[in-house]
Amino acid sequence: MAHLWSGRFAGDPDASLFEFGRSFSFDRRLFDDDVTGSLAWADALEKACVLTAADASRIRTALVEIAARGASDPGFFASDAARHDEDVHSFVERELIARVGDAGRRLHTGRSRNEQVSVDLRLYLKRRIPQVQQTVASLVRVLAGQADAAGAALMPSYTHMRRAQPVMAAHFFLAHAAAFRRDYGRFSSVLAEVDELPLGSGAIAGTSYAIDVKGIAARLGFSRIVANSIDATGDRDFVATFLHACALTMVHLSRLAEDLILFTSEEFGFFELADTAATGSSLMPQKKNPDPLELVRGKTGRVIGRLAGWLATMKGLPIGYSKDLQEDKEALFESEDTVRASLDAAGAVLAGLSTNRAVTEAAASGLLLATDVADYLVAKGMPFREAHEVVGSLVRRLVEEQRAFDAMTIEEWRAHSPLFDADVRKAITPAASIARKRTPQSTHPDAVAAALAELHAWLLSLA
Ligand code: ARG
């Protein structure tokens, strides 16, 4: 069996070791990118007078044909000959030589698979990251839709998973949207890191041919050339950066899933899952389980694991290429697939969610207005620390008596502080609480409306 490197060896490699080292089963996903890179390389070799115009033209025609075959015939990758291809680069080169003979044998002049795999991955991510970003944006769109639908509904917010202060339900949906917008931006930063052409690095020391790397970069849509050929052939930082962006997006999905799992439970009952987004129990007829949300939360573990695993793979490597780097692709593809599927699933569940306004608003009233009572006293001139003490003892009493602020007579208020006037009863309501908020990031209805409008404008700007 002839491999790209057979000349150096007396015989074939051990069959099982060859199989162990193969990456074609998964790196065929880089097929289009490998052809794209090879087309650019053929042009560069022709410009450098390494290839004749006739050979370059034969190579181009064959590569275009190979790409078309790959697009139309899935069996192409499973042919008998392909079973002996080590990776996608070997596959394309063998197919090329099968079509144009010696011209094809000239294409690898001055080029190494070490830089080819890097350029392929970079081209792949340049194509795919915008698709991941669109999926992120779709979920943000659903969150914006839920914020619209929530209207003026109130709900409690939580710290330490204990009732904290009333907020608009829209503010809750916008909180999750804010995290996913950061993810969108983070993927843009990954794109910026990916945006460097490694071709011209050779196997490690650069290339001896007059390759116009700037020309290749312009043609392939890279805005920079890598700074150092040794670094370039062994650099997969951009893979780690991508995996980090995927892992953090999953963390945000997991937190959203956790909120929805809790808030759709019988104990909370704030939101209701659509029947289409839930599953039943084989035993307990009453169950309406949030399986898709649990799976999103569960899959987060594997994406975090891919990031941690990849960093561990990189940490022991000497500078330059080592075969360990081949492990990058499964980490990358699996994370990409998982994050996209999870974003879609979360979006589908969220789209069918309904809000039980009576329940959220009942829960948004009561002792979680304590901070507002303290603020009331502050407005009357009491130092905040003292107000905190006064309201603390008031709350202790109400907890014992199982009552809330709205059940107190004005005499009872005054027994705790003479600063309480009759207006206290109107001041201490959930609606007054949110209306008292003053900052743009707050849950004041105007601030939330402005944030929602800004979010819609952002979503429109993407289209
Ligand atoms: N399949 C290899 C990878 O994914 C391609 C580069 C191989 N280079 C080498 N010198 N063996 O990393």
Side-chain angles (χ1 to χ4, degrees):
M1 192 52 48
H3 297 292
L4 295 180
W5 31 260
S6 299
R8 165 71 178 76
F9 297 92
D12 283 343
D14 177 88
S16 60
L17 287 180
F18 178 72
E19 206 45 48
F20 182 65
R22 279 185 89 210
S23 52
F24 190 48
S25 60
F26 48 87
D27 71 10
R28 71 179 58 169
R29 197 145 151 171
L30 301 174
F31 170 72
D32 288 332
D33 309 291
D34 201 69
V35 172
T36 302
S38 289
L39 281 166
W41 190 250
D43 286 0
L45 285 180
E46 180 186 0
K47 246 195 193 168
C49 301
V50 178
L51 285 178
T52 62
D55 275 354
S57 153
R58 267 182 224 116
I59 290 172
R60 274 190 291 270
T61 308
L63 284 172
V64 169
E65 190 189 306
I66 291 167
R69 176 85 189 276
S72 64
D73 173 15
F76 188 38
F77 302 102
S79 68
D80 273 351
R83 278 196 288 119
H84 304 289
D85 291 327
E86 186 182 335
D87 52 27
V88 67
H89 325 294
S90 324
F91 172 84
V92 172
E93 190 167 326
R94 182 185 49 70
E95 288 290 336
L96 181 67
I97 292 168
R99 284 167 175 75
V100 297
D102 275 350
R105 289 189 186 90
R106 291 202 167 90
L107 179 63
H108 210 55
T109 313
R111 178 174 76 161
S112 158
R113 279 185 297 160
N114 297 353
E115 53 184 336
Q116 225 182 324
V117 66
S118 168
V119 79
D120 287 7
L121 271 176
R122 288 171 186 270
L123 287 170
Y124 176 84
L125 286 171
K126 272 170 162 290
R127 289 193 288 124
R128 304 285 286 207
I129 287 175
Q131 296 178 21
V132 177
Q133 287 181 300
Q134 273 182 32
T135 320
V136 173
S138 298
L139 180 64
V140 173
R141 201 166 282 118
V142 178
L143 284 163
Q146 282 292 353
D148 284 327
L154 301 182
M155 67 181 278
S157 60
Y158 293 82
T159 66
H160 310 266
M161 208 53 224
R162 302 290 188 273
R163 279 186 196 169
Q165 294 186 302
V167 291
M168 298 193 70
H171 202 49
F172 162 79
F173 290 115
L174 290 174
H176 284 287
F180 291 111
R181 267 180 83 169
R182 285 196 297 277
D183 294 326
Y184 189 100
R186 196 169 292 109
F187 279 111
S188 297
S189 316
V190 184
L191 268 179
E193 183 176 346
V194 162
D195 187 20
E196 274 185 8
L197 179 79
L199 291 179
S201 298
I204 186 160
T207 190
S208 323
Y209 300 88
I211 297 296
D212 172 18
V213 285
K214 284 200 180 128
I216 303 181
R219 166 177 175 162
L220 294 180
F222 288 99
S223 59
R224 311 184 298 281
I225 314 294
V226 293
N228 179 294
S229 65
I230 303 178
D231 172 54
T233 48
D235 168 29
R236 294 292 183 281
D237 290 1
F238 64 94
V239 173
T241 308
F242 176 75
L243 294 178
H244 174 252
C246 290
L248 207 42
T249 303
M250 289 301 299
V251 165
H252 295 147
L253 281 170
S254 189
R255 295 182 76 174
L256 172 64
E258 175 66 8
D259 269 356
L260 297 183
I261 289 166
L262 282 174
F263 291 160
T264 56
S265 68
E266 290 92 338
E267 277 67 21
F268 281 86
F270 289 177
F271 306 120
E272 183 71 26
L273 288 171
D275 282 0
T276 49
T279 43
S281 157
S282 59
L283 184 97
M284 300 166 282
Q286 86 284 7
K287 293 291 288 269
K288 185 172 174 185
N289 292 331
D291 288 28
L293 294 171
E294 293 167 279
L295 272 177
V296 166
R297 189 177 58 184
K299 284 177 191 294
T300 302
R302 74 161 88 183
V303 179
I304 293 172
R306 283 305 198 173
L307 169 64
W310 179 240
L311 292 172
T313 296
M314 289 205 303
K315 76 169 272 297
L317 300 185
I319 199 147
Y321 180 85
S322 298
K323 185 82 165 186
D324 314 47
L325 292 173
Q326 179 167 288
E327 291 288 309
D328 59 359
K329 280 168 281 295
E330 287 157 295
L332 191 157
F333 298 149
E334 191 194 325
S335 299
E336 179 201 359
D337 291 347
T338 306
V339 80
R340 285 180 72 165
S342 302
L343 284 161
D344 282 343
V349 173
L350 198 63
L353 198 76
S354 49
T355 301
N356 299 326
R357 186 166 175 177
V359 178
T360 62
E361 299 206 327
S365 192
L367 295 180
L368 81 178
L369 297 171
T371 312
D372 297 280
V373 181
D375 284 338
Y376 176 95
L377 291 174
V378 167
K380 303 266 172 171
M382 189 182 282
F384 180 77
R385 272 291 145 244
E386 194 184 331
H388 192 288
E389 278 295 304
V390 169
V391 181
S393 74
L394 181 52
V395 167
R396 184 153 26 91
R397 165 186 170 181
L398 290 174
V399 168
E400 269 168 26
E401 297 172 359
Q402 297 194 33
R403 298 163 71 207
F405 297 115
D406 56 3
M408 286 172 50
T409 64
I410 186 64
E411 290 70 31
E412 286 176 309
W413 281 107
R414 281 183 182 278
H416 285 269
S417 167
L419 292 180
F420 286 120
D421 283 323
D423 62 352
V424 69
R425 310 205 51 181
K426 261 199 244 144
I428 306 307
T429 67
S433 172
I434 61 164
R436 207 172 287 123
K437 300 293 176 286
R438 301 284 273 271
T439 46
Q441 68 270 46
S442 74
T443 196
H444 187 286
D446 294 345
V448 173
L452 187 49
E454 192 275 335
L455 181 59
H456 279 298
W458 179 73
L459 286 166
L460 269 179
S461 78
L462 302 178

